Amino acid sequence: MAVHRSGPLKQKNKAHKNGRHRSRGSAQRDGKGRVAVKVQSKKVRKELSRVDQRHRANQLRKQKKEAVLEEKRHLGSKDGPPHQVLLVPLHAGVSLGQALQLLRSSDPQSVPAGERAGAPGFVLLCPQMKRRWFFTAAQPGELHTVLDLAKVADSILFILDPVEGWDSTGDYCLSCLFAQGLPTYSLAIQGVGSLLPKKQADAKKKLSKVLEKRFPGDKLLHLDTPQDAVLLLRQLANQKQRHLAFRDRRSYMFAYTADFVPSQESSSVGTLKLSGYVRGQTLNVNRLLHIVGHGDFQIKQIDAPADPFPLNPRVIKASKGTDMAMQIDAADADGASEMEEDIKVLVKADPARQESLQSEVVPDPMEGEQTWPTEEELNEAKALLKEKAKVVKKVPKGTSSYQAEWIVDEEGSSSGEEEEEEEDSEAEDFMEEEDSEAEGSEEECDTVTLGESVRDDQYDEKIDKEAEEQMLEKYKQERLDEMFPDEVDTPRDVAARVRFQKYRGLKSFRTSPWDPKENLPQDYARIFQFQDFSRTRKRIFKEVEEEEPEGAEQVGWYVTLHVAGVPASVGESFRQGAPLVAFSLLPHEQKMSVLNMVVRRHPGNEEPVKSKEEMIFHCGFRRFRASPLYSQHTAADKHKAERFLRPDVALVVTVYAPITFPPASVLLFKQKPDGKHSLIATGSLLSVNPDRMVIKRLVLSGHPFKILTKMAVVRYMFFNREDVLWFKPVELRTKWGRRGHIKEPLGTHGHMKCTFDGQLKSQDTVLMNLYKRVFPKWTYDPYVPEPRPWSNEETSPGLEVDME
């Protein structure tokens, strides 16, 4: 039976257009009886109603407010550490002693305790306010003291002059403190009452203009009477605390007392007993302790002596004829002495769990040593060389291989020799002309000495001629590097292939491959490297948050740390008045690695700073000396090295230093010949990554001698034929954007024939880029002595204060 089949010309009507989506009815018909697939996710997202969302936001806001209030109540209370306040006078006319005396006598019911710490200060007990205060002071010219005390201070009180606000030394101190990170601060004016009533309003207006630059919108308080001091204490107690990133995840301590006990083996090394309040996080006895400016040490044990500054001690009333002063009962004093004799040991270090002081890897000189090849390997290498050395020649039929070695291809050799002779003759003519021109130019040029100005004998006696010459040479090098970046002259006495043998050419600096493990220096065998630094950092921070205290090393407790292996110079510096600040290290923070920091040049300093010059670093809680490298801050895998610290861009500083987990602030100082420290740059810690490649670029320049359509003869880039052949594979470029290659050398004086992608201009310059990876110098030194203080009589490093 025949079946009808429609042909190709059958009419096909268009389907009905029901929009870009299926209708609800069609979707229900298609999915009739089916159940939707449940999507499994790690985080269950609950869709809250608008009322629930508002309620949840209120709960979060309430929790944050309660956390802030709890922090305020805990700080300075009987269960927490005393509220540590640092007084910094920003003007030479401010009386620091008067300010301390006003705070000491602010409350008649308060009990000022004696000086217990290395730095000048006192403890103030206020039972009525239910607060304990510890006041310390530092002059703005004492740079290390101010920065060390600011690392552990809960609040900073800046004392200003009513007319000028701050002087040049105070402004320099503020620049350093802002770069390191400011905790909670307050501003107080001293001496407003001494001004005439008519001048007080004008002085406040001028001072408010000055404060807008540094402290916009902050409130000014007075500090002239005891009533002003009470208001100031209430302001400090009710302020919201600002947190510093580098101390929030670590426990730290300001030492009130420090006793050095020499060891039996040597009197120069012993045990240092540091007593103070635990702050920040809970203290772990098995972790290392870093004493700022002195190094890393191990803790042997932690004791719990009696709190020397209790908020509510037992007292007896004095007689009516005497002042209403609070006196500690003699019986309580005897009990305190008995407790000192019988001190409770909280916890001792576990040798199995205690972290090691090892900071460097001891490299094995035999590691990676190649074994002597066997006879089979030597025979294979010889056979391979023979195969490569074979040359195919046309010889008469029946010629043996020995006879073929003596047959010379005369046609090819003669033509090549003729071409070389012609090129040599042309190149010699060119070089003779150029030599005559160069001699003429040398005869015409001469050095010109500028006229001397009128000299002052007393002024000249203060100038160091050698330092002036060195600084002038630095300025010249910096100016040349700005005008001709990375350009160097090819040496005439040494072959370029020898002088630049460690350099290589790259097709593209951004995309060309470069192995980060290639040709590493010997110092890289001494450092540590993380497989994944960011993952390790997150894991350690999570462990710190979830860690449970061992023993009773809670925050706010007064404890005594037995620190082992401390040199006697640490105790001597404390006795001389220098403050002792200690930070507990996180895991791996004692190990050496390569630190990368992003810094920007400080605007008040214009002195040229060359790469690999020794600098003084304040990185987080550490202070050390090192010789850094400077490189561009880019997102590529290779970063171009900079010969000088540029003033207009952010650069990356690379140094060998102990591992520090970011975030952490960074300050760079340079020590002057007179012992002062000048602030050079400020920034933050970027990463700990030894694989970050810093590539030094070197540019060789040549000049076109003869220009054809797309070819040119270039001279003065090299000065012998062998160098031209050595660098022939490297690509050329010009300052006007042309690209090309070396085709062949001409003669024996370094002339070369080059091809480009377009015709050159006569005023253009031919360049060749060469690259080499560079590494920082290992000059790490954790000990940095106290610098010579700045004074107002001497000019601060490029800082001026505009008081108008």
Side-chain angles (χ1 to χ4, degrees):
M1 181 178 176
V3 180
H4 175 73
R5 298 179 182 277
S6 59
L9 301 177
K10 179 178 169 42
Q11 179 180 349
K12 294 181 179 179
N13 298 328
K14 291 183 178 179
H16 175 67
K17 294 182 179 179
N18 55 0
R20 297 186 178 179
H21 61 279
R22 292 189 302 171
S23 63
R24 186 171 58 182
S26 62
Q28 289 177 356
R29 285 192 300 268
D30 294 342
K32 191 175 182 180
R34 297 182 182 178
V35 180
V37 180
K38 293 182 179 180
V39 179
Q40 294 181 354
S41 61
K42 294 182 180 179
K43 294 183 180 179
V44 179
R45 296 183 179 180
K46 296 182 179 180
E47 295 183 1
L48 301 176
S49 63
R50 189 169 297 179
V51 177
D52 294 338
Q53 290 178 2
R54 191 181 299 113
H55 181 61
R56 183 182 180 185
N58 290 333
Q59 284 182 334
L60 293 175
R61 192 182 303 112
K62 187 178 180 181
Q63 289 176 3
K64 291 181 180 179
K65 188 180 296 186
E66 289 178 354
V68 173
L69 291 175
E70 179 62 26
E71 185 179 10
K72 289 181 183 179
R73 297 190 192 103
H74 183 70
L75 183 61
S77 64
K78 64 177 182 178
D79 298 327
H83 192 141
Q84 186 165 343
V85 182
L86 171 63
L87 274 71
V88 181
L90 297 179
H91 196 275
V94 173
S95 175
L96 184 59
Q98 182 182 354
L100 290 172
Q101 184 62 31
L102 284 173
L103 292 170
R104 187 191 294 264
S105 60
S106 59
D107 189 355
Q109 297 182 358
S110 63
V111 182
E115 295 184 1
R116 289 296 190 99
F122 62 93
V123 177
L124 186 66
L125 306 178
C126 299
Q128 185 178 3
M129 296 177 61
K130 298 180 180 180
R131 293 280 175 177
R132 294 189 294 176
W133 308 88
F134 176 61
F135 291 96
T136 57
Q139 295 292 338
E142 300 172 356
L143 188 62
H144 283 183
T145 304
V146 173
L147 294 178
D148 289 349
L149 290 175
K151 287 181 175 71
V152 295
D154 299 313
S155 301
I156 298 181
L157 178 60
F158 294 112
I159 306 177
L160 309 177
D161 184 76
V163 180
E164 297 182 356
W166 55 74
D167 51 18
S168 58
T169 306
D171 191 50
Y172 178 55
C173 178
L174 284 177
S175 300
C176 298
L177 287 174
F178 272 99
Q180 179 178 265
L182 271 181
T184 307
Y185 63 89
S186 295
L187 305 176
I189 312 173
Q190 189 184 71
V192 179
S194 62
L195 299 176
L196 296 176
K198 295 181 179 180
K199 293 185 178 181
Q200 289 182 7
D202 296 337
K204 289 182 180 179
K205 288 181 181 179
K206 291 182 180 179
L207 193 59
S208 61
K209 290 183 180 179
V210 174
L211 292 176
E212 287 179 357
K213 299 179 182 179
R214 292 284 192 181
F215 308 100
D218 288 333
K219 184 180 179 182
L220 281 173
L221 300 174
H222 295 268
L223 188 57
D224 293 324
T225 61
Q227 291 78 14
D228 295 338
V230 173
L231 292 176
L232 185 59
L233 289 179
R234 294 186 184 277
Q235 170 71 14
L236 291 172
N238 296 326
Q239 274 185 327
K240 181 182 177 182
Q241 292 297 311
R242 300 174 62 181
H243 297 275
L244 297 181
F246 64 86
R247 74 182 189 185
D248 280 348
R249 295 183 176 90
R250 300 172 179 87
S251 60
Y252 57 96
M253 173 190 291
F254 177 81
Y256 288 80
T257 61
D259 298 329
F260 179 77
V261 180
S263 62
Q264 298 179 357
E265 292 81 7
S266 174
S267 60
S268 60
V269 179
T271 301
L272 185 68
K273 297 180 181 180
L274 296 178
S275 298
Y277 293 92
V278 179
R279 300 171 184 266
Q281 298 290 333
T282 56
L283 184 61
N284 191 339
V285 69
N286 293 318
R287 288 185 181 168
L288 299 180
L289 189 74
H290 175 77
I291 301 178
V292 176
H294 299 283
D296 304 335
F297 306 97
Q298 287 181 335
I299 304 175
K300 292 197 300 185
Q301 72 180 33
I302 301 178
D303 299 340
D307 192 342
F309 314 114
L311 185 59
N312 296 315
R314 288 186 181 181
V315 296
I316 57 175
K317 293 184 179 180
S319 60
K320 294 182 179 180
T322 59
D323 296 335
M324 295 298 295
M326 303 182 71
Q327 300 175 0
I328 301 177
D329 193 0
D332 293 337
D334 296 338
S337 61
E338 290 177 3
M339 291 181 66
E340 289 179 0
E341 294 177 359
D342 188 14
I343 295 177
K344 179 183 177 182
V345 178
L346 291 180
V347 65
K348 291 187 177 181
D350 185 3
R353 300 175 56 189
Q354 192 173 27
E355 292 195 15
S356 172
L357 284 171
Q358 182 184 4
S359 60
E360 302 176 14
V361 180
V362 181
D364 185 5
M366 300 302 293
E367 186 178 1
E369 189 73 19
Q370 186 179 2
T371 57
W372 188 258
T374 61
E375 293 184 0
E376 296 180 357
E377 293 175 347
L378 291 174
N379 295 332
E380 290 178 359
K382 289 181 181 179
L384 186 62
L385 288 174
K386 288 181 179 179
E387 291 179 0
K388 290 183 178 179
K390 291 181 179 178
V391 180
V392 179
K393 293 183 179 181
K394 291 184 179 180
V395 295
K397 196 173 183 179
T399 306
S400 63
S401 59
Y402 175 77
Q403 294 172 340
E405 294 289 339
W406 294 92
I407 298 177
V408 181
D409 190 2
E410 296 181 357
E411 295 180 359
S413 62
S414 62
S415 61
E417 290 174 359
E418 290 175 359
E419 290 177 1
E420 288 181 0
E421 288 175 0
E422 292 176 0
E423 293 169 1
D424 290 345
S425 62
E426 292 178 2
E428 287 175 1
D429 296 339
F430 297 154
M431 288 302 296
E432 288 176 0
E433 295 176 3
E434 286 303 310
D435 290 341
S436 62
E437 290 178 6
E439 291 175 1
S441 62
E442 290 177 358
E443 291 175 359
E444 293 174 1
C445 297
D446 195 3
T447 57
V448 179
T449 57
L450 299 176
E452 297 179 354
S453 60
V454 180
R455 291 187 176 183
D456 186 1
D457 296 337
Q458 296 180 355
Y459 182 78
D460 291 340
E461 289 176 357
K462 300 178 182 179
I463 295 178
D464 188 357
K465 293 183 179 180
E466 295 183 0
E468 287 286 321
E469 291 292 333
Q470 293 176 1
M471 188 59 63
L472 177 62
E473 188 64 26
K474 280 187 180 180
Y475 274 112
K476 287 182 178 180
Q477 293 178 4
E478 187 181 27
R479 186 66 182 273
L480 284 175
D481 192 54
E482 290 179 0
M483 297 174 62
F484 308 100
D486 303 324
E487 289 192 29
V488 297
D489 296 330
T490 307
R492 302 287 298 271
D493 53 346
V494 181
R497 64 185 182 276
V498 177
R499 170 64 180 82
F500 308 124
Q501 59 183 344
K502 295 183 180 180
Y503 291 82
R504 69 180 72 177
L506 295 177
K507 178 71 176 176
S508 172
F509 182 78
R510 185 178 62 87
T511 59
S512 296
W514 196 309
D515 187 8
K517 304 296 184 184
E518 175 186 358
N519 295 333
L520 296 178
Q522 189 66 26
D523 290 335
Y524 263 54
R526 303 164 59 185
I527 64 174
F528 292 84
Q529 181 179 7
F530 294 102
Q531 189 172 3
D532 191 342
F533 176 72
S534 60
R535 183 181 297 178
T536 305
R537 173 176 169 270
K538 290 180 181 178
R539 178 181 58 82
I540 290 177
F541 284 176
K542 188 176 181 181
E543 290 177 357
V544 169
E545 295 176 357
E546 299 176 354
E547 185 179 16
E548 296 181 359
E550 300 177 3
E553 312 93 337
Q554 294 286 353
V555 176
W557 284 39
Y558 188 82
V559 297
T560 299
L561 307 181
H562 294 250
V563 188
V566 180
S569 59
V570 181
E572 184 64 27
S573 66
F574 181 80
R575 285 191 292 271
Q576 293 176 0
L580 275 186
V581 176
F583 279 82
S584 178
L585 297 182
L586 297 177
H588 311 295
E589 283 195 329
Q590 79 278 13
K591 300 174 182 177
M592 296 291 292
S593 187
V594 179
L595 269 62
N596 302 306
M597 315 166 187
V598 181
V599 300
R600 187 177 289 272
R601 188 71 182 265
H602 189 260
N605 192 291
E606 298 179 356
E607 181 182 348
V609 179
K610 201 173 182 181
S611 179
K612 293 187 179 181
E613 280 189 23
E614 188 180 68
M615 306 290 288
I616 298 169
F617 286 79
H618 287 249
C619 180
F621 56 88
R622 290 187 184 273
R623 184 170 69 234
F624 56 88
R625 293 174 179 267
S627 299
L629 283 179
Y630 306 121
S631 59
Q632 294 180 354
H633 184 32
T634 58
D637 60 339
K638 296 181 288 294
H639 311 272
K640 193 178 85 67
E642 294 288 348
R643 287 176 169 82
F644 291 89
L645 186 61
R646 302 293 181 190
D648 52 347
V649 294
L651 297 179
V652 176
V653 176
T654 304
V655 290
Y656 290 115
I659 294 169
T660 303
F661 292 103
S665 58
V666 174
L667 285 79
L668 268 71
F669 292 90
K670 185 177 180 181
Q671 186 168 354
K672 292 191 171 185
D674 56 358
K676 298 177 185 177
H677 290 179
S678 176
L679 182 61
I680 300 295
T682 60
S684 59
L685 182 61
L686 177 64
S687 65
V688 180
N689 183 18
D691 287 341
R692 188 181 185 274
M693 292 184 290
V694 180
I695 308 299
K696 180 181 179 181
R697 186 181 70 171
L698 187 141
V699 180
L700 302 180
S701 60
H703 303 275
F705 177 59
K706 278 190 174 183
I707 301 175
L708 301 177
T709 306
K710 287 190 178 182
M711 296 183 63
V713 178
V714 181
R715 58 183 176 180
Y716 300 152
M717 183 177 288
F718 303 107
F719 297 100
N720 58 70
R721 185 184 184 89
E722 290 77 11
D723 288 343
V724 177
L725 294 173
W726 180 269
F727 291 100
K728 185 178 179 181
V730 183
E731 186 182 20
L732 301 175
R733 67 178 181 90
T734 69
K735 289 189 175 181
W736 285 29
R738 296 296 180 190
R739 291 185 174 272
H741 288 87
I742 300 174
K743 189 175 181 181
E744 56 186 358
L746 299 176
T748 60
H749 296 283
H751 287 217
M752 54 188 181
K753 188 187 293 185
C754 306
T755 59
F756 295 91
D757 56 357
Q759 188 172 5
L760 298 185
K761 302 292 184 181
S762 59
Q763 63 270 28
D764 204 352
T765 305
V766 182
L767 305 175
M768 176 183 288
N769 293 339
L770 300 176
Y771 302 95
K772 178 186 73 170
R773 185 178 179 185
V774 291
F775 303 90
K777 293 170 63 178
W778 191 294
T779 58
Y780 172 77
D781 184 9
Y783 177 70
V784 181
E786 181 73 22
R788 182 187 170 192
W790 287 97
S791 61
N792 292 318
E793 298 177 357
E794 300 161 332
T795 306
S796 294
L799 296 171
E800 298 179 358
V801 185
D802 186 10
M803 304 306 298
E804 296 180 358

